Amino acid sequence: MFSDLNFLVQPGTWLQVTGPNGCGKTSLLRMICGLLEPAEGIIRWQGVNIRSLGEEYFTALTYLGHRNGIKDELTSIENLRCSSGLSGVEVSQQATANILQEVGLGARERLSARLLSEGQRRRLALARLCVAGTALWVLDEVLTSLDREAIALVQSLIMKHLDNGGIAIIATHQDLDLSAGSFQRIQLSL
């Protein structure tokens, strides 16, 4: 695990969290999301402890973890509309279809998610970023199972988010070639 960690991430900035397997990258991201409480210290959003902000903080972030967070029995359209609805964002059937087209799932929008490849399932998870409208994206190994075209899509989505004043905190073993925003890196060790 880690200790003595202190960082500030401003709007328009992306923070890359790196380090070997088991060093605590996912734990750090889960703490940032409020899913795990730090043993010591405070995580702040706009200067306020996230524990006291509650829904105000949680509606400002989108978290994509190792797992895609999709339901096998639902179609791509149903998955995206359901996850958006749970986040308080209403997305029309047509807007959903357009987003799925944008992420490369246009021809598979009505297939059950269980029939999608791992890369397609990851694209479906990434589609949530297109409707999120949140200031903070917390992404854990976001490039896993993606081909070159999908990696370019992820880079484009993140750059657009940063250009719009968003913040991205990304744990990854791979290099992200992002030309937008400011860049910071935290290297965790065992």
Side-chain angles (χ1 to χ4, degrees):
M1 207 48 114
F2 46 84
S3 62
D4 299 320
L5 195 56
N6 187 9
F7 59 92
L8 173 68
V9 184
Q10 297 288 342
T13 302
W14 69 285
L15 170 69
Q16 182 179 18
V17 181
T18 62
N21 292 337
C23 69
K25 295 182 300 295
T26 295
S27 295
L28 175 60
L29 296 188
R30 291 176 58 81
M31 287 177 199
I32 291 168
C33 291
L35 299 172
L36 189 63
E37 195 159 348
E40 295 180 8
I42 298 171
I43 297 170
R44 299 179 195 276
W45 175 249
Q46 299 176 339
V48 181
N49 185 335
I50 64 169
R51 295 285 173 201
S52 65
L53 289 173
E55 190 173 326
E56 181 182 339
Y57 175 66
F58 300 120
T59 58
L61 76 88
T62 299
Y63 173 63
L64 291 182
H66 283 110
R67 298 195 177 132
N68 293 317
I70 59 176
K71 299 288 184 189
D72 283 342
E73 60 276 0
L74 299 180
T75 66
S76 295
I77 286 179
E78 292 166 338
N79 264 291
L80 185 53
R81 292 192 74 201
C82 180
S83 64
S84 297
L86 290 171
S87 299
V89 177
E90 289 296 320
V91 184
S92 71
Q93 186 105 359
Q94 185 57 53
T96 304
N98 292 344
I99 290 165
L100 292 171
Q101 181 70 38
E102 182 182 341
V103 299
L105 294 176
R108 292 168 173 79
E109 62 193 17
R110 299 201 183 279
L111 281 179
S112 169
R114 78 171 45 89
L115 300 175
L116 299 175
S117 72
E118 275 307 305
Q120 291 167 335
R121 293 166 66 83
R122 195 62 172 167
R123 285 174 183 251
L124 178 54
L126 290 166
R128 292 199 306 262
L129 298 175
C130 297
V131 297
T134 54
L136 174 59
W137 289 359
V138 180
L139 311 174
D140 197 355
E141 297 297 346
V142 70
L143 303 179
T144 301
S145 301
L146 296 180
D147 58 24
R148 270 183 263 190
E149 182 181 302
I151 290 171
L153 169 69
V154 170
Q155 291 168 326
S156 172
L157 291 172
I158 294 169
M159 286 189 291
K160 182 177 175 184
H161 180 64
L162 297 173
D163 285 343
N164 290 326
I167 297 169
I169 300 176
I170 307 164
T172 182
H173 292 282
Q174 298 166 304
D175 286 329
L176 274 170
D177 186 23
L178 300 178
S179 58
S182 299
F183 171 70
Q184 294 174 247
R185 175 177 287 147
I186 292 176
Q187 173 74 40
L188 300 179
S189 57
L190 291 173

